[in-house]
Amino acid sequence: MSMPTPRKRILTGDRPTGPLHIGHLAGSLQNRVALQHQYETFVLLADVQALTDNFERPQKIRDNVLEVMLDYLAVGLNPDVCTFVIQSQLPEIAELTVLYLNLVTVSHLRQNPTVKSEIAQKGYGDAVPAGFFVYPVSQAADITAFGAHLVPVGEDQLPMIEQTREIVRRFNHLYAPVLTAPQALVGQAARLPGLDNAGKMSKSLNNAIFLSDSADTVARKVKGMYTDPGHLRAEDPGQVDGNPVFAYLDAFDPDRSGLEAMKDHYRQGGLGDVKVKRHLTDVLEATLAPIRERRTDFARNTDSVQEIVRTGTLRGREVAAETIQAVRQAMGLDYF
Ligand code: TRP
């Protein structure tokens, strides 16, 4: 009788820089919840990566590890099937990063489009912290440490997967074929625009609805949302495209035909923003109420959350230790 084939492995993760918002929910969390039973799922709380641009504020990152864990559990990532790992507690990842840094050139890192735009956005210029500059290499260490086959990501993370695949190719060619080349699994959902439509939803732009927001806060934020600036009176025809209110409805309204009818009405004129926003508030509330309830329950019992992430991290270390052993052997670093 043959052994059952082991399930393929997924690695996903987030930088714990703040609580998660509905952009994360639509863009990646719902996808992860759907995949968790099909794949062996590791979820990385990437605190070391978060420190690369928050190193003056380590307490902020530490606090947000718990916040993000609460968000994960609240949306339905199930600790019986997911392994939650705190990145900083795996020295194996740091060791892999150092070894991989030899396989990457500065000129190549400079071309990474995601890092490039982040450097521009943060105004670092040449004063970019070296740790930030090389975080794609540390992300390659994350992914390969777990031997992940698949990495569900948003578009902006594709250069990280490409970088990882290149490191794997070089390593396996130079030393021995011990590393797994990951594949990106890009979700269909585009990232949600912010409440102000001025960019993607993000905590730092102060344009987000958080999973932990109260019903009142959600209602207030929706009221203040940007809509079609040309739609001044209810009678006027309105724009649906580029209107964040409809982008959120696209992401969360389960009544697809009702939504299409609403869009037609809005385009024709005669449907006011107040009504559409009231509907959006209801739709968001239907999505967020159960999440909020579970979050409150877990927040009352942080000891059990600590235990979940402690157990997960220990398990993660076991897996990473296997990788590092193979890597050391492949490079002849197994002296004793
Ligand atoms: N860079 C990812 C982000 O900003 C977070 C992350 C770190 C990650 N390590 C990872 C994602 C490994 C997937 C796999 O969202």
Side-chain angles (χ1 to χ4, degrees):
M1 223 173 64
S2 66
M3 296 280 286
T5 30
R7 284 180 306 162
K8 288 201 167 179
R9 249 181 221 164
I10 275 185
L11 178 68
T12 70
D14 296 279
R15 301 178 191 177
T17 53
L20 302 180
H21 51 62
I22 61 170
H24 294 111
L25 185 61
S28 63
L29 295 173
Q30 287 176 333
N31 198 22
R32 294 179 197 176
V33 172
L35 294 169
Q36 64 181 339
H37 294 284
Q38 201 177 333
Y39 298 97
E40 187 183 5
T41 301
F42 290 83
V43 185
L44 191 69
L45 294 125
D47 59 340
V48 174
Q49 188 177 114
L51 283 167
T52 62
D53 59 340
N54 287 278
F55 52 86
E56 307 99 326
R57 297 174 291 277
Q59 187 65 41
K60 169 181 139 178
I61 303 306
R62 189 187 165 107
D63 294 344
N64 279 308
V65 166
L66 177 65
E67 292 301 316
V68 170
M69 264 310 290
L70 289 173
D71 288 332
Y72 284 159
L73 296 170
V75 299
L77 286 174
N78 181 340
D80 294 336
V81 292
C82 290
T83 306
F84 300 96
V85 181
I86 301 179
Q87 186 188 25
S88 61
Q89 304 309 295
L90 272 59
E92 292 81 5
I93 293 179
E95 183 174 343
L96 287 175
T97 304
V98 170
L99 298 172
Y100 294 169
L101 279 167
N102 298 328
L103 308 179
V104 179
T105 65
V106 170
S107 79
H108 191 93
L109 281 170
R110 241 189 234 123
Q111 289 160 26
N112 184 302
T114 303
V115 179
K116 209 171 169 174
S117 74
E118 285 170 334
I119 288 175
Q121 197 194 324
K122 292 170 198 291
Y124 280 143
D126 278 345
V128 56
F132 185 85
F133 185 64
V134 304
Y135 89 72
V137 180
S138 116
Q139 193 158 330
D142 299 340
I143 294 167
T144 53
F146 293 97
H149 305 94
L150 291 170
V151 187
V153 287
E155 292 270 337
D156 64 315
Q157 293 294 304
L158 285 178
M160 308 305 157
I161 313 300
E162 220 18 75
Q163 179 68 82
T164 304
R165 292 174 59 83
E166 251 171 71
I167 288 171
V168 167
R169 210 177 302 131
R170 290 210 71 193
F171 187 101
N172 286 349
H173 176 74
L174 273 171
Y175 307 121
V178 297
L179 298 178
T180 305
Q183 227 127 48
L185 206 95
V186 186
Q188 314 94 325
R191 270 199 71 175
L192 292 184
L195 295 165
D196 53 3
N197 208 32
K200 288 187 291 194
M201 183 174 288
S202 89
K203 181 180 165 61
S204 54
L205 296 174
N206 196 21
N207 63 4
I209 293 177
F210 296 102
L211 302 178
S212 46
D213 279 345
S214 69
D216 287 349
T217 303
V218 173
R220 179 174 53 74
K221 286 182 174 175
V222 170
K223 259 195 196 125
M225 275 180 77
Y226 176 100
T227 61
D228 170 12
H231 185 241
L232 293 177
R233 295 167 307 163
E235 309 87 82
D236 295 337
Q239 284 277 352
V240 165
D241 295 333
N243 187 330
V245 174
F246 284 100
Y248 296 5
L249 286 172
D250 276 335
F252 297 111
D253 192 345
D255 176 8
R256 308 315 287 182
S257 59
L259 176 57
E260 286 316 306
M262 187 171 234
K263 285 181 181 176
D264 284 343
H265 192 180
Y266 193 82
R267 285 195 194 96
Q268 278 163 23
L271 178 59
D273 282 328
V274 174
K275 268 207 181 133
V276 187
K277 285 182 171 179
R278 208 174 290 144
H279 177 61
L280 174 59
T281 304
D282 291 345
V283 165
L284 287 179
E285 196 46 28
T287 307
L288 293 178
I291 293 176
R292 194 183 297 127
E293 200 173 310
R294 274 197 299 266
R295 202 181 193 282
T296 310
D297 285 347
F298 281 112
R300 269 199 214 105
N301 196 353
T302 49
D303 282 356
S304 79
V305 179
Q306 291 279 2
E307 190 49 28
I308 288 168
V309 71
R310 194 183 71 85
T311 315
T313 300
L314 288 176
R315 161 88 185 118
R317 253 201 108 167
E318 282 171 16
V319 175
E322 283 171 26
T323 305
I324 207 72
Q325 201 189 346
V327 160
R328 285 172 160 237
Q329 203 172 14
M331 297 181 70
L333 299 173
D334 51 346
Y335 291 97
F336 310 110

